[in-house]
């Protein structure tokens, strides 16, 4: 038992929905510790689910050992095992679920299957102390605008095709930048901003796809690729692409806040690491007397700690997952999970 955490047992969380395998910890009173994570980055092309799953299997033992040693913990310090039950890629989810079942059995502690999307909300609430936000969830595979109402996190709007992060990754890959592309697009966009004092979008119009409360990103990606082919500097296209897609997300988020009567906006998912979308969120919230929140970057990207945190909240209302109920759920929706905790 580590001196730092006294007699406080920890909840172990396992994240394996897609490219990231991650183990994380929260104490029973909600102190979130850094995760031990590794990212599967393909040499070329997008994520191959089987190869990502092989990566997860190979690295799991090392990551878990690293987490336990870093925090001077042994198995008797762990009071429950939480894992991502869905949504995600089947082969990847299966690796995390198998490890979770094995640890729960051999350490004789409860198993808690959690909804990955809901975990992004709960780690954001844990980290920022916002209470009842609209969540703008912008990650690789998911883009959703979510608010809690009537015991569920309701999806008020979402992408009709690909996730915003996948779009940035694909666009970047087309122009020779390896996964993850989002941070590279951000740094080229900043470069353009510092070189172009006019900051005008007049030279480069892109389709802006907001459809009611929904969004789409594949058309704008095609159009942005065409702008590069037409001879626009890549930096300029990166900047214009960010301006368009982030504005679309913020527009829908603002409408969701107005409809749902909420005055907090929480960002989550890997794209929430981007400084520009944070700036836009702040400006929009300032203008309507609301507050924008974003957790620290390690808790925006997929991480095991967020899974542990949702597991902790579910345990607080005595929710655990029997072995017979622990099958993965690749198509799990945000609003399928009944929210009984605070
Ligand atoms: P997640 O799926 O939540 O783990 O997030 C991964 C996604 O976040 C990938 O698509 C990354 O390209 C994207 N991402 C990470 N950092 C940034 C950034 N600074 N700007 C834009 N996208 C980012
Ligand atoms: Mg995610």
């Amino acid at each position: 038992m580590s001196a730092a955490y006294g007699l406080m047992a920890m909840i172990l969380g396992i994240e394996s929905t897609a490219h990231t395998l991650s183990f994380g910890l929260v104490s029973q009173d909600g102190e979130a510790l850094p995760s031990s994570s590794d990212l599967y980055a393909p040499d070329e092309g997008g994520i191959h689910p089987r190869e990502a799953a092989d990566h997860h299997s190979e690295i799991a033992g090392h990551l878990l050992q690293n987490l336990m040693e870093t925090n001077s913990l042994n198995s008797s310090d762990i009071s429950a095992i939480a894992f991502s039950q869905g949504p995600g890629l089947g082969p990847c989810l299966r690796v995390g679920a198998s490890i979770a079942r094995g640890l729960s059995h051999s350490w004789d502690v409860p198993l808690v299957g959690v909804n990955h999307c809901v975990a992004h909300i709960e780690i954001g609430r844990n980290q920022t102390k916002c209470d009842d936000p609209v969540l703008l969830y912008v990650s690789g595979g998911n883009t959703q605008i979510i608010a809690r109402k009537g015991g569920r996190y309701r999806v008020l709007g979402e992408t009709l095709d690909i996730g915003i992060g996948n779009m940035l990754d694909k666009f970047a890959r087309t122009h020779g930048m390896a996964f993850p592309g989002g941070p590279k697009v951000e740094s080229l966009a900043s470069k353009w901003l510092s070189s172009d004092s006019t900051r005008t979008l007049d030279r480069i119009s892109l389709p802006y796809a907001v459809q009611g409360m929904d969004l789409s990103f594949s058309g704008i990606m095609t159009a942005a690729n065409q702008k590069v082919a037409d001879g626009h500097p890549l930096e300029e296209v990166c900047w214009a692409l960010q301006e368009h897609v982030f504005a679309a997300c913020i527009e829908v988020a603002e409408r969701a806040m107005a409809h749902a009567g909420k005055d907090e906006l929480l960002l989550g998912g890997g794209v929430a690491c981007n400084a520009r979308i944070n700036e836009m969120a702040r400006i929009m919230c300032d203008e309507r007397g609301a507050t924008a929140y974003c957790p620290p970057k390690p808790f925006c990207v997929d991480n095991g700690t967020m899974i542990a945190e949702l597991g902790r909240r579910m345990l607080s209302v005595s929710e655990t997952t029997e072995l017979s109920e622990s099958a993965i759920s690749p198509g799990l929706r945000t609003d399928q999970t009944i929210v009984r905790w605070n």
Side-chain angles (χ1 to χ4, degrees):
M1 170 68 66
S2 81
Y5 301 103
L7 292 171
M8 188 77 74
M10 311 291 286
I11 294 134
L12 175 69
I14 306 173
E15 159 58 25
S16 75
T17 54
H19 42 64
T20 300
L21 181 72
S22 178
F23 293 86
L25 296 163
V26 290
S27 67
Q28 282 178 334
D29 63 358
E31 186 185 352
L33 271 57
S35 301
S36 171
S37 308
D38 198 72
L39 189 70
Y40 159 77
D43 295 333
E44 59 178 33
I47 300 178
H48 186 299
R50 186 70 259 161
E51 286 174 10
D54 288 347
H55 159 271
H56 295 353
S57 304
E58 281 159 24
I59 201 83
H62 168 74
L63 289 181
L64 179 58
Q65 188 180 0
N66 177 47
L67 182 75
M68 299 295 274
E69 285 178 5
T70 303
N71 295 287
S72 313
L73 298 174
N74 59 51
S75 58
S76 63
D77 299 317
I78 304 298
S79 61
I81 311 287
F83 71 102
S84 273
Q85 203 161 8
L89 303 172
C92 299
L93 286 168
R94 241 168 251 124
V95 173
S98 303
I99 297 168
R101 288 185 204 108
L103 291 176
S104 159
H105 178 74
S106 61
W107 294 353
D108 194 23
V109 291
L111 187 63
V112 196
V114 317
N115 183 322
H116 171 96
C117 300
V118 174
H120 274 290
I121 307 174
E122 297 304 352
I123 193 67
R125 292 177 68 216
N126 171 299
Q127 288 293 301
T128 67
K129 308 302 173 205
C130 69
D131 178 39
D132 183 22
V134 162
L135 177 80
L136 175 55
Y137 173 33
V138 278
S139 75
N142 298 288
T143 306
Q144 295 184 332
I145 293 87
I146 299 164
R148 185 167 173 168
K149 181 96 183 145
R152 290 178 199 255
Y153 284 111
R154 313 276 172 183
V155 179
L156 303 179
E158 65 187 316
T159 180
L160 299 174
D161 45 45
I162 56 177
I164 186 171
N166 281 355
M167 183 278 290
L168 293 170
D169 295 335
K170 275 185 164 179
F171 173 79
R173 196 187 321 135
T174 304
H175 303 288
M177 293 175 273
F179 176 85
K184 289 151 196 146
V185 170
E186 178 175 28
S187 88
L188 290 183
S190 306
K191 232 167 144 184
W192 178 257
L193 207 51
S194 52
S195 69
D196 176 44
S197 57
T198 61
R199 299 184 182 194
T200 176
L201 286 167
D202 294 350
R203 279 192 300 266
I204 186 159
S205 75
L206 292 169
Y208 178 86
V210 171
Q211 303 174 33
M213 293 297 288
D214 295 322
L215 300 150
S216 84
F217 299 109
S218 62
I220 193 168
M221 182 183 70
T222 306
N225 285 331
Q226 188 57 48
K227 294 291 177 192
V228 181
D230 291 346
H232 284 273
L234 182 58
E235 289 85 353
E236 180 183 24
V237 179
C238 287
W239 174 66
L241 182 60
Q242 282 199 166
E243 292 299 301
H244 281 76
V245 294
F246 294 164
C249 292
I250 297 297
E251 179 188 328
V252 177
E254 178 169 26
R255 202 171 303 127
M257 292 172 79
H259 283 329
K262 311 249 187 205
D263 59 7
E264 298 173 324
L265 176 66
L266 175 65
L267 267 57
V271 180
C273 296
N274 187 289
R276 180 58 176 147
I277 198 169
N278 273 274
E279 184 184 18
M280 286 189 188
R282 257 194 322 273
I283 293 168
M284 180 272 279
C285 285
D286 282 352
E287 284 175 356
R288 53 183 296 111
T291 312
Y293 297 90
C294 187
K297 287 184 185 184
F299 295 127
C300 286
V301 295
D302 291 347
N303 65 91
T305 306
M306 71 183 198
I307 304 304
E309 171 59 4
L310 176 51
R312 184 183 74 87
R313 291 181 187 228
M314 291 172 69
L315 285 160
S316 75
V317 291
S318 307
E319 277 189 48
T320 58
T321 304
E322 293 303 316
L323 198 58
S324 58
E325 300 290 313
S326 68
I328 60 160
S329 182
L332 186 65
R333 296 273 304 165
T334 303
D335 46 16
Q336 270 176 277
T337 298
I338 298 173
V339 183
R340 297 193 176 86
W341 58 92
N342 241 338

